[in-house]
Each structure stands twice: as C-alpha cells, then as structure tokens.
C-alpha cells in the first residue's frame, strides 16, 4: 500500500528554479507538459490529487495515493527533510529540489521537483523524471575520477604542449621521473628541457606535429633531470587541434633509461663475445698459416738442403703468406672498409692471372673450369675482386673434401632477365659472374645466414668474415651477391658487377720496374729488423742502395747524411707516430717521396687527409715488385 512508496532525499532551494520543463519558454507552471509528473497536497502533507504520469512512474493507482499523508510512506530518517520542505513553502512560497523515489516494482528514480502553494493552502507540485540524466552524470564523474587516478598515478609523463612550444600541463609523474614540480615547468618552453645534441631533432619533431593535425609520431629524446643528469625517453605525440579535442599537442613520454643501459650492456657483451670468437678463429687460422711454413723453414735451414727442397719450401711459404694476407684483409676491410679504387677490368685477362692462384688453393682433387668470354668488362676494384673470388674458391674447396668441380662463368644479361634467388634492377647494366661447386651444399635453415659476420660452417673453423666481406665489397662496388644451394646439390654464388667498356688504348705495364729506376737510394724506417733486412736484401739485389733505421729520431739524421731519394716509412714506430716523422721530414724536404707501410687498415684515412702527391701507401705484407712499381711511379716526376 502506501508504505510501498519510498520518497527520500528531498532537497529544497528558494532561488531561481532549475526545472526547465516547468516554465520552458516562459510557459506558466499550470501549463506544464503532459509528460510532467503533477500532484497537489496541503500543508499537512495530505495528497489531494495526482496525475496519471506520476501514478505510472510510481506503479500505483491514484486511489492508493489520494487522501494519504506524505508522512505515512516516507522513511523516518527523511521526516526532518519534509518538515523543512513545508516550512520553506510557508516562508518563501517556493521549494525546488531533487526527490529520490522507489516505485512499487523497486525501480529507483530521481525526480526534479518544483512546488508552489496557492492562496487557499494547496501546494502544487510538478516534477520531471531525471534518472537517466543523473545516472549519466554520475557515470561521467566516475569516469573522470577513474582517468584522473590513472593519469596521476601512471609512471609515464603525460604533458600538454601549446602550439607555441610552452608546457601547459604535466602529470604528477613528472616530479617522480624528472624531479620538477608541475609549477616549476608550467609555461616553460619544452625544448629547454631537451639535451643539446637532441634539440635539433626535437625542434623538427615539434614543428612537424604543429604542421600536421592528428598526426601521431614517435621519437627518442633525452631530457634534463632537476639534478642535472639526463633521462632517456620514448616519446609519442599527437596534435588533436583538428579534432577539436584540445588546442595543443598531447605528449606521452616513457622513461627508457634502464632499457638503454641494458641495451648498451647487451651490445657491449655481444661485442666482447664477438671479439672473443674472432680472436679464437683468427688464432686458429694463423696457427695453420704458421704451421704451413714451419716445416719448410726447418728443411731450408738444414745444411744439406737441396735446391729442390729450397724451391718447394719457398713456394709453400709464399702461398702461406698469401693466405695470411687474405685473412688480415678480410678483418681490416670488414672493420675499416675503404673506398674502392674502381677501374675497368677485362674479366678474361683478369682470370688468366687469377686462375693459377685458384688452382693452387683447390689442389689436385678438384677440377677448375671456366667460361668467360673475351672483351667482357666490369667496373670494380681489381684487388677486391680477387679477394672475393679467393674467398669463394676457398669455401668451395672446403665444400668438396672428396673432390669435385668448380666452374666460374660470366655473361651479360637482357633487360627482361629474372632470377629465382633475388631481384636485380636493370640487369642489362650488370655482368653476372657465377661460381658453382659440386659440394655438399648448404642446409636450408642456414642459407640465409651465410653473409652474417662471424658465421661459419667450416668444420675446420674460419674467421666467418669471408662472405660478410664479399657482401660488403660487392655493395661498395655498386653490385650485389646471392647464393643458391641445396644439400647434396652444391652451391652457386652469383656476383653482379656494373658492366664496363674496355678502353681503346691501354697504358703499357712495366714488366720490370727495377729496370726503369735510375740510380736511387732508399731509406727504410722500420723497427722490425727482419722486415727491414728482408726488404733491403731484395732491393740491393736490384742494385738499389739501402740504409735502414729503427726510430723516428734516427730518421732525421739518416736523411741528412744518407740523402735518400725515397723513404719507406712505417707508421708504428716505438718513439713517435709515422705521421709525426712525416711532418719533420717535410720541414726540410718538402718534395721527398715517402711511401708509408703499415699493417693497420685505418692508417689509409690519415694519408688521404695529407693530400700530398709525393706520398703513397703500401699495406703489409707486400711483394717487392709492388714496392718497385710504386718507387718508379714516384720517381718519374722528379727525374730531370
């Protein structure tokens, strides 16, 4: 009955009404809309009338409500509210507020009410059911509190940057991460917090954000902590001006300092691990090189050594030196790649000089076949091309321990040529060189890794740099390299080099460089006595006068007394660097030809900076013929 109706939380106000539907557009309360809830009661709280809309909202017929007092069905804890409500009506003539109502079916409702008495003491009440509106407002408030809690407690920094670059807002996490209070940063230029080395990228990033509304971009930057240290951040920014959500840029910055430290430590560990593996493989390879020379050196030193033994020993020692040189070049060219000295190479002529070396590497159990047309030219660095082919030949030898066939072929390409192993843009501009063996092949699971540094499948070991250097060299020469292989079907390496045109006139090659030299004197500056003595002996055999010293200090005196025509200068001297010796020589001999020799690959860069036409460079180890050709080249401009 009436006790099933619960009216609670009546709130009254005596100022301007808030129920828009009561006097919307100036309508009087007596002309309220049909869907308004309307009732009347007296000052004692007895209900006099109630409309159908109110009865329907409450789920009760009018007969159960009319004649009953409000006090009969209100909870006791709301009695004081009803008393205040009646007193307000008598005193002010108006009461406005919110009423909580529970229908007969138990549905909770909120009514926005307005009550006014007439001269006869009858109170007219008009209400609107605002339950959905209040629920929506409550949900919004809950959502705001929820997201405010997230923003205030999240570890990421959330900031708002004005279009002029000033900080409008920073989340509380800015204090935990950077040590500043939000008041410290308010109005500051955001760029002022950025590391000077990153400020250029940061300015460009911010400018792009301002220029492209709704763009989402990321960047890594370092920001200054209050204590002066630098914190690394992964930053994502969004310009929401176009969407109308804000007139600024929203920035989310995540502290990645610990991650960067871990990445650095991991990279260092990988480098150390790589250096360890490289040191072990280089030691293994060089031990084999040395062991290839050791027995023959012992044989040649015996008193009864025959000319045949000396000749055979010399041949093996020379080949071991070539093998060691290739290992060193692999390491140096991978670590310090230099700009290739590209020229037009006639492949057929080049192959005639390279084939004997390939045959020596392959031995007697592997056949070497070739199909290289005459007058087919590529543009490449000649020494680098030989280095790449030497590595491929050595790999083929290891892939065919029981013997087999190695075929080297070259051909031109048509514009429409396509390949199953990879894409070659404009194939007609390249020459394809294929190196095919009949060995055991490469398993499918590792074929994609063969060009990785330090990766090797040789049972006997290896530096793991041969194919990595080959890939690097081909790229430097504007070419490419691919591999085709399958277990049991051998491997084929395809090299693509830019096609060249053979020049009409080729300068004559000096067959005997020593014969073209005039009477000259060479000063050797090298602290390694075996090197100096060996080179001196070879030069003296060609009638060249030689003097040698072991320090940079001695070099100055020798030049003054010996008057050399050419200086062979080592970079790594015990008392000073070779570049310092060069500077001292130039003070008194500005045109004296100097040939730098060193085992370090990075010294070439220093020489390039000298820009001196009277300076050349020889990479150790070198053959004496290379030295003689370089001496003749330097001598010609100074011959009267």
């Amino acid at each position: 009955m009436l006790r099933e109706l619960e009216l609670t939380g009546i709130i009254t106000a005596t100022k301007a009404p808030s129920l828009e539907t009561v006097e919307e557009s100036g309508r009087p309360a007596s002309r309220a809309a049909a869907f308004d809830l309307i009732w009347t009661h007296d000052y004692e709280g007895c209900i006099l009338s109630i409309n159908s809309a109110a009865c329907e909202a409450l789920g009760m017929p009018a007969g159960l409500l009319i004649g009953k007092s409000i006090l009969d069905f209100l909870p006791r804890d709301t009695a004081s509210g009803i008393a205040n409500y009646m007193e307000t009506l008598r005193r002010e003539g108006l009461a406005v507020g919110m009423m909580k109502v529970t229908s007969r079916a138990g549905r909770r409702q909120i009514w926005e009410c307005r009550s006014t008495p007439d001269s006869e003491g009858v109170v007219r009440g008009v209400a609107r059911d605002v339950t959905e509106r209040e629920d929506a407002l409550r949900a919004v408030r809950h959502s705001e509190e929820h997201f405010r809690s997230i923003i205030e407690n999240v570890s990421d920094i959330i900031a708002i940057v004005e279009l002029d670059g000033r900080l409008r807002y920073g989340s509380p996490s800015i204090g935990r991460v950077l040590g500043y209070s939000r008041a410290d940063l308010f109005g500051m230029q955001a760029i002022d917090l950025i590391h000077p080395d990153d400020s250029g990228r940061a300015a460009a990033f911010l400018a792009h954000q301002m220029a492209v509304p709704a763009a989402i971009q990321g960047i890594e930057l370092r920001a200054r902590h209050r204590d002066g240290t630098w914190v690394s951040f992964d930053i994502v920014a969004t310009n929401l001006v176009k969407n109308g959500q804000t007139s600024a840029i929203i920035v989310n910055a995540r502290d990645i300092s610990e991650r960067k430290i871990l990445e650095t430590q991991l990279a260092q560990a990988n480098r150390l691990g790589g250096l360890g593996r490289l040191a072990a493989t280089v030691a293994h390879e060089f031990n084999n090189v040395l062991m290839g020379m050791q027995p023959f050196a012992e044989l040649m030193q015996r008193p009864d050594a025959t000319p045949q033994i000396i000749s055979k020993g010399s041949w093996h020692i020379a080949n071991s030196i070539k093998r060691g040189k290739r290992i060193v070049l692999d390491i140096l060219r991978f670590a310090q790649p230099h700009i290739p000295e590209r020229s037009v190479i006639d492949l057929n002529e080049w192959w005639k000089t390279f084939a004997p070396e390939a045959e020596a590497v392959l031995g007697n159990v592997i056949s070497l076949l070739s199909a290289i047309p005459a007058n087919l030219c590529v543009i490449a660095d000649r020494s680098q091309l030989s280095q790449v082919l030497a590595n491929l030949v050595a790999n083929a030898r290891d892939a065919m321990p029981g013997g087999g066939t190695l075929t080297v072929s070259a051909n031109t390409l048509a514009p429409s040529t396509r390949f199953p192993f990879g894409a070659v843009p404009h194939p007609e501009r390249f020459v394809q060189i294929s190196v095919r063996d009949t060995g055991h092949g490469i398993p499918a699971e590792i074929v994609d890794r063969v060009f990785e540094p330090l990766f090797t499948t040789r049972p006997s070991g290896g530096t793991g740099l041969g194919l990595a250097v080959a890939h690097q060299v081909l790229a430097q020469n504007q070419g490419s390299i691919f591999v085709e292989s399958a277990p049991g079907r051998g491997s084929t390496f395809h090299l693509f080099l830019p096609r060249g045109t053979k020049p009409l006139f080729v300068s004559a090659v000096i067959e005997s460089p020593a014969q073209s030299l005039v009477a000259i004197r060479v000063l050797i500056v090298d602290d390694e006595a075996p090197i100096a003595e060996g080179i001196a002996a070879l030069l003296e055999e060609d009638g060249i006068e030689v003097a040698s010293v072991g320090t940079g200090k001695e070099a100055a005196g020798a030049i003054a007394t010996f008057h050399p025509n050419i200086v062979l200068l080592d970079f790594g001297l015990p008392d000073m660097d070779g570049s310092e010796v060069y500077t001292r020589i130039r003070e008194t001999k500005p045109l004296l030809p100097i040939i730098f020799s060193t085992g370090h690959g990075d010294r070439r860069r220093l020489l390039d900076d000298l820009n001196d036409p009277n300076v050349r460079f020889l990479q150790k180890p070198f053959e004496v013929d290379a030295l003689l050709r370089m001496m003749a080249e330097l001598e010609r401009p100074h011959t009267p």
Side-chain angles (χ1 to χ4, degrees):
M1 305 299 289
L2 286 182
R3 288 184 177 86
E4 295 175 348
L5 177 66
E6 181 181 355
L7 305 179
T8 63
I10 297 178
I11 306 172
T12 61
T14 59
K15 295 185 179 182
S18 60
L19 186 63
E20 298 177 357
T21 58
V22 175
E23 294 185 354
E24 184 179 5
S25 302
R27 293 184 303 163
S30 60
R31 297 176 59 190
F35 50 81
D36 286 342
L37 315 176
I38 303 173
W39 68 89
T40 60
H41 64 78
D42 58 21
Y43 279 117
E44 302 299 326
C46 180
I47 297 176
L48 303 176
S49 66
I50 188 168
N51 72 347
S52 59
C55 292
E56 183 178 353
L58 295 173
M60 300 179 68
L64 295 178
L65 297 173
I66 295 174
K68 302 298 181 180
S69 172
I70 297 176
L71 296 176
D72 290 343
F73 55 82
L74 287 178
R76 292 181 179 180
D77 58 358
T78 62
S80 60
I82 292 296
N84 292 334
Y85 165 68
M86 295 297 185
E87 177 63 24
T88 299
L89 286 172
R90 289 189 180 95
R91 185 180 67 252
E92 306 292 344
L94 174 68
V96 177
M98 308 294 287
M99 178 181 292
K100 295 181 180 180
V101 180
T102 301
S103 70
R104 188 174 188 178
R107 188 174 75 88
R108 181 186 63 83
Q109 302 174 48
I110 299 176
W111 292 0
E112 186 178 30
C113 305
R114 173 189 176 92
S115 299
T116 55
D118 58 18
S119 58
E120 298 178 358
V122 176
V123 178
R124 178 183 177 85
V126 181
R128 171 70 63 84
D129 186 346
V130 294
T131 305
E132 291 185 2
R133 187 192 73 186
E134 291 300 312
D135 286 346
L137 290 174
R138 188 180 298 107
V140 169
R141 286 193 294 271
H142 175 75
S143 178
E144 289 176 349
E145 292 172 359
H146 174 70
F147 285 105
R148 182 180 295 109
S149 175
I150 291 176
I151 291 174
E152 291 179 353
N153 293 283
V154 72
S155 58
D156 289 1
I157 292 176
I158 299 174
I160 299 177
V161 180
E162 298 279 5
L163 294 182
D164 63 359
R166 297 184 181 277
L167 286 166
R168 180 204 294 179
Y169 168 82
S171 60
S173 55
I174 204 165
R176 297 190 295 271
V177 179
L178 287 177
Y180 299 97
S181 69
R182 286 186 284 181
D184 293 335
L185 299 179
F186 185 81
M188 177 188 289
Q189 285 287 338
I191 199 72
D192 291 342
L193 287 172
I194 303 302
H195 193 286
D197 293 344
D198 297 345
S199 58
R201 293 189 301 113
F205 175 78
L206 188 61
H208 184 269
Q209 283 294 321
M210 294 176 180
V212 185
I216 299 177
Q217 282 189 315
I219 191 174
E220 282 191 13
L221 297 172
R222 289 166 291 177
R224 185 181 65 252
H225 192 278
R226 188 167 189 170
D227 62 9
T229 59
W230 298 99
V231 182
S232 296
F233 287 98
D234 188 1
I235 295 174
V236 177
T238 308
N239 184 345
L240 298 179
V241 174
K242 186 175 181 180
N243 294 347
Q245 299 180 35
T246 180
S247 59
I249 296 172
I250 308 300
V251 176
N252 181 279
R254 174 164 297 178
D255 182 357
I256 58 171
S257 300
E258 290 187 8
R259 190 189 81 187
K260 300 294 286 186
I261 292 173
L262 291 175
E263 288 177 351
T264 301
Q265 292 174 343
L266 179 61
Q268 183 178 10
N270 288 336
R271 284 196 299 270
L272 292 175
L275 288 174
R277 291 192 301 273
L278 179 60
T281 54
V282 169
H284 174 82
E285 289 293 293
F286 266 103
N287 281 334
N288 286 335
V289 169
L290 296 174
M291 196 61 215
M293 295 188 286
Q294 179 69 31
F296 295 104
E298 291 184 16
L299 284 172
M300 294 168 66
Q301 288 177 330
R302 290 181 178 180
D304 58 347
T306 64
Q308 292 79 8
I309 289 177
I310 293 175
S311 176
K312 184 177 182 180
S314 300
W315 186 87
H316 280 285
I317 290 174
N319 278 312
S320 294
I321 292 172
K322 289 181 179 179
R323 179 183 177 187
K325 184 177 181 179
R326 283 196 298 269
I327 295 171
V328 172
L329 286 176
D330 280 348
I331 297 170
L332 292 179
R333 285 179 175 168
F334 181 78
Q336 298 287 346
H338 70 275
I339 299 174
E341 299 176 0
R342 302 172 69 212
S343 62
V344 177
I345 302 173
D346 186 311
L347 286 178
N348 193 276
E349 294 179 0
W350 166 82
W351 178 251
K352 290 176 183 178
T353 60
F354 179 79
E357 181 181 346
E359 290 173 343
V361 172
L362 294 174
N364 298 325
V365 296
I366 298 176
S367 301
L368 178 62
L369 304 178
S370 64
I372 302 177
N375 300 318
L376 182 58
C377 298
V378 296
I379 301 175
D381 184 304
R382 182 179 294 270
S383 64
Q384 289 185 341
L385 177 61
S386 298
Q387 179 193 6
V388 169
L389 263 292
N391 280 322
L392 294 180
V393 169
N395 288 347
R397 176 201 60 202
D398 293 341
M400 298 181 287
T405 302
L406 179 66
T407 304
V408 179
S409 60
N411 58 275
T412 57
L413 303 167
S416 59
T417 307
R418 296 294 180 268
F419 306 97
F421 46 78
V424 179
H426 305 290
E428 72 279 4
R429 301 178 184 177
F430 295 89
V431 171
Q432 179 181 3
I433 303 173
S434 299
V435 182
R436 179 179 293 104
D437 67 58
T438 57
H440 48 62
I442 304 173
E445 62 271 17
I446 64 172
V447 71
D448 292 334
R449 300 187 58 197
V450 297
F451 296 111
E452 292 181 9
L454 302 179
F455 180 78
T456 181
T457 58
R458 291 186 183 180
S460 60
T463 62
L465 291 175
L467 291 178
V469 170
H471 187 276
Q472 185 184 74
V473 165
L474 266 293
Q476 289 175 336
N477 284 271
Q478 300 180 11
S480 54
I481 183 171
F482 302 91
V483 61
E484 277 188 302
S485 186
R489 295 193 296 174
S491 302
T492 303
F493 286 86
H494 301 279
L495 287 65
F496 294 86
L497 286 167
R499 188 173 179 178
T501 303
K502 190 173 183 179
L504 296 177
F505 300 99
V506 181
S507 59
V509 178
I510 301 175
E511 295 294 338
S512 180
Q515 296 177 2
S516 67
L517 294 171
V518 298
I520 62 173
R521 291 180 298 276
V522 177
L523 174 63
I524 301 175
V525 186
D526 200 310
D527 61 318
E528 293 285 346
I531 295 175
E533 291 176 10
I535 295 173
L538 288 169
L539 293 178
E540 287 170 352
E541 284 288 324
D542 290 319
I544 298 172
E545 189 176 354
V546 181
S548 62
V549 295
T551 66
K553 185 178 180 180
E554 293 174 319
I559 289 174
T561 58
F562 183 61
H563 301 294
N565 302 107
I566 291 179
V567 176
L568 181 62
L569 177 59
D570 182 30
F571 245 113
L573 296 172
D575 59 336
M576 64 182 69
D577 192 273
S579 59
E580 185 178 349
V581 179
Y582 164 83
T583 301
R584 294 189 178 187
I585 293 174
R586 281 291 174 258
E587 291 175 356
T588 57
K589 300 288 184 180
L591 300 178
L592 179 62
I594 298 175
I595 299 175
F596 283 100
S597 68
T598 181
H600 294 280
D602 58 347
R603 299 298 190 181
R604 184 64 177 268
R605 295 184 178 182
L606 296 177
L607 297 179
D608 292 340
D609 294 338
L610 296 178
N611 193 27
D612 188 337
N614 294 304
V615 170
R616 296 292 185 273
F617 173 85
L618 268 179
Q619 177 74 47
K620 293 179 179 178
F622 53 82
E623 296 178 353
V624 71
D625 278 353
L627 174 60
L628 291 172
R629 284 193 295 271
M630 195 166 286
M631 290 165 57
E633 180 183 344
L634 284 169
E635 182 189 47
R636 283 195 294 272
H638 304 284
T639 301

